[in-house]
Structures are given as C-alpha cells and as structure tokens.
Amino acid sequence: MESEASARPRLSESMRQKKPSEAGQIWPRALRELSFRSLVLFFAGTVCSLVLVLLQAEQRFAPLPVLSTCWVSGFGGTAAVAIGLAYPCVDGCVGQESGRSDWSSVMRCLIVFFGINEASVKIPFEDSRELTLTLALMSLCLWWLFDRTSAGFGLGVGAAFVASSVASVVAVGLGSFSDSDNLGRPPLWLPCIFFAGVVTFGHLGRQLAWDKKKM
C-alpha cells in the first residue's frame, strides 16, 4: 500500500512535467503549419494576380498600369492569405462546413476562375451591363459548384465590396481604368471578379486546412 501511495505522486509529477513539454511542441508545430499555409496562399495569390493583371492589360479594361503589377501582385498575395485563413476560421465559428473536396476540385475551381476572367476581356458584349450580368451569373455558379455555404457567400460579398472600394479609390486617383464608358472609374463587373476570386482562394484555404487535420 505504501509503495502504491508513493507511486501516485511520482506519476502526477511526471504528468505535470510532460504537459509543458507537449504544449511546447504543439505551438511550434501550429506555427509551422500556419506559415506553410500562408506561403502557399501568398504564392498562389501573387501568381494569379500577375496573370490576371497582364491579361486585363491586353484589353481596354486595364485595372492598374502595367508598371504597378508588382504592387498589385503583392496585394493579391496578401489578400489571398487573409481570405484563405479566414474561411476555415469562420467555418469553425459558425459550425458550418462545405462538402469535402480534394485537390482536383481546387484545380477545377482555379480553371473556372481563370475562365471567368478570360470571358470578361475576350467575349464581345454590347454594353457593360450585359457583361456585368453575365459575370455575376458565372460567379454565382462558381460559388454553387465549389462552396454552397452561407458563410462563404457572405465573406465573398463582403470582401468583394471592400476590394472594389479600395480599387475605386486607388484607380480613380491614378486614372488607370481606360474604359471610356466608366470615365476612368472601375467597371461595373469588377466586383464579380473579386467575388469569384474570394470563393476560389477560400476554397484553397479550406483544402489546406483540411489536409492539416488529416495529418
């Protein structure tokens, strides 16, 4: 009996010693995972922003001067990190999850996103309203195919509104929008592009977070 009683304090002391060490291992691992997800999102956002800016610059709807592509790419990468990390956090807060996906779904989402951007500059439309309506429907289809959550829709609309407001302030000051119908202002269809981009990088952020849970 005495040996058992003396063994219990030793076990409790050993458990107390293990808890700080385990906690010390969890935090570096969480930081490494967060850093990895942030790097992937930043790289993807930077590359996609650069491609889209060059694509838009070929047409009369140039979002920003080509000389500012580095600044735009950096901003796009930062926004991708914020969106990709925010989506899983909001899902956890509201207790809502999108359907399980895989990396092939992420690639399809990226392809559809680039297709929407390609349509915005290559398909001839009679006026900007027709183009805006078409891109809005395509963006909603993108959300329906790869998201279908109210949290994702709300984040997409909110982020698109903020991004469009920032683009309006910056672009009007620079006079960089060359669409004659808008007189230097951002085109009406620009929020649709932002909404599709938010859904796309939110989907990528969810997939990265889901891979982390499986590990």
Side-chain angles (χ1 to χ4, degrees), residues 104-165:
S104 63
S105 176
V106 175
M107 295 304 298
R108 290 194 302 269
C109 187
L110 284 168
I111 292 172
V112 174
F113 174 58
F114 279 109
I116 292 174
N117 284 271
E118 186 78 8
S120 69
V121 295
K122 294 296 179 67
I123 300 177
F125 289 91
E126 293 182 359
D127 54 24
S128 59
R129 279 184 244 178
E130 183 180 354
L131 173 60
T132 301
L133 180 60
T134 302
L135 293 180
L137 292 175
M138 295 174 69
S139 299
L140 288 175
C141 289
L142 176 70
W143 169 79
W144 179 257
L145 290 173
F146 300 101
D147 193 317
R148 298 190 188 183
T149 63
S150 57
F153 183 82
L155 280 173
V157 172
F161 176 78
V162 173
S164 299
S165 301

Side-chain angles (χ1 to χ4, degrees), residues 37 88 97-103 203-215:
R37 290 161 57 195
E97 291 187 1
S98 61
R100 298 295 181 215
S101 62
D102 51 21
W103 284 105
H203 191 51
L204 174 59
R206 281 170 170 162
Q207 183 61 37
L208 289 170
W210 174 240
D211 283 350
K212 182 203 72 171
K213 292 179 182 179
K214 292 191 296 184
M215 293 176 61

Side-chain angles (χ1 to χ4, degrees), residues 40-127:
V40 173
L41 289 165
F42 184 81
F43 177 77
T46 301
V47 172
C48 289
S49 298
L50 179 60
V51 172
L52 295 178
V53 167
L54 295 177
L55 175 65
Q56 296 283 342
E58 293 178 357
Q59 308 298 321
R60 61 195 185 101
F61 299 112
L64 285 174
V66 178
L67 295 177
S68 302
T69 52
C70 294
W71 180 86
V72 175
S73 299
F75 179 79
T78 304
V81 173
I83 293 166
L85 296 180
Y87 260 68
C89 293
V90 173
D91 290 340
C93 291
V94 301
Q96 187 178 41
E97 291 187 1
S98 61
R100 298 295 181 215
S101 62
D102 51 21
W103 284 105
S104 63
S105 176
V106 175
M107 295 304 298
R108 290 194 302 269
C109 187
L110 284 168
I111 292 172
V112 174
F113 174 58
F114 279 109
I116 292 174
N117 284 271
E118 186 78 8
S120 69
V121 295
K122 294 296 179 67
I123 300 177
F125 289 91
E126 293 182 359
D127 54 24

Side-chain angles (χ1 to χ4, degrees), residues 28-43:
R29 179 182 177 184
L31 289 176
R32 287 195 301 269
E33 292 172 348
L34 183 63
S35 300
F36 174 75
R37 290 161 57 195
S38 299
L39 286 174
V40 173
L41 289 165
F42 184 81
F43 177 77

